[in-house]
Amino acid sequence: MTLLSKIFDGTTGKVGEQLWDDLTSVVRRVFGRRSTSVEAAKRLGERPGDPDSMRALAEALIADSARDPQGAAQIRHWVARAERALAPDESVRGTVSGTVQARDVHGDITF
C-alpha cells in the first residue's frame, strides 16, 4: 500500500509513471490477463490514487503471489526496484572550510 501510495501521490512524476507501467506489465506477464491482480490494476489505473483500489490491488497481489512462487519472486523484484527508484537522495553537497566532522560516511569524500 505504501509503495502504491507513493507512486500515485503526485510527487514521483515520470518515475512514478514508469513504475506503474512496469508493475502492470509484470502483473499481466506473470499472472495472466484474467487474474485478480490484473483486474485490480486495471481498476486502479482508472481511479489513480483511490485508497480502496490500491488496497484491492495489494490484496490481489498477495493472493496471486501465494499461488505462484515464481510470480511472487518477480513482484518482490519489482518492489525492490521501485523502492530504490523512490528512495530520497541522501547525499550532502557543499563547501567546507576548516575542520570536518563526520559520522557514517558511505562513499567518497573529496577535498
Side-chain angles (χ1 to χ4, degrees), residues 7-106:
I7 289 172
F8 288 105
D9 73 1
T11 63
T12 59
K14 293 287 183 191
V15 172
E17 291 173 23
Q18 184 61 52
L19 289 171
W20 175 246
D21 290 343
D22 291 348
L23 176 61
T24 57
S25 176
V26 167
V27 167
R28 279 193 308 274
R29 185 178 70 249
V30 170
F31 299 123
R33 294 194 179 275
R34 297 188 190 274
S35 74
T36 55
S37 293
V38 170
E39 290 301 316
K42 181 180 176 183
R43 281 192 303 276
L44 181 54
E46 294 168 353
R47 294 182 225 138
D50 176 60
D52 292 333
S53 297
M54 284 189 283
R55 189 173 303 103
L57 177 56
E59 290 170 357
L61 288 170
I62 290 167
D64 284 343
S65 293
R67 290 187 292 275
D68 182 350
Q70 290 178 339
Q74 291 190 40
I75 295 298
R76 282 192 305 272
H77 180 72
W78 176 86
V79 167
R81 279 193 337 248
E83 287 175 340
R84 282 192 306 273
L86 295 175
D89 180 9
E90 295 181 353
S91 62
V92 178
R93 293 174 182 83
T95 303
V96 178
S97 62
T99 303
V100 176
Q101 182 176 354
R103 179 175 182 265
D104 298 332
V105 175
H106 304 281

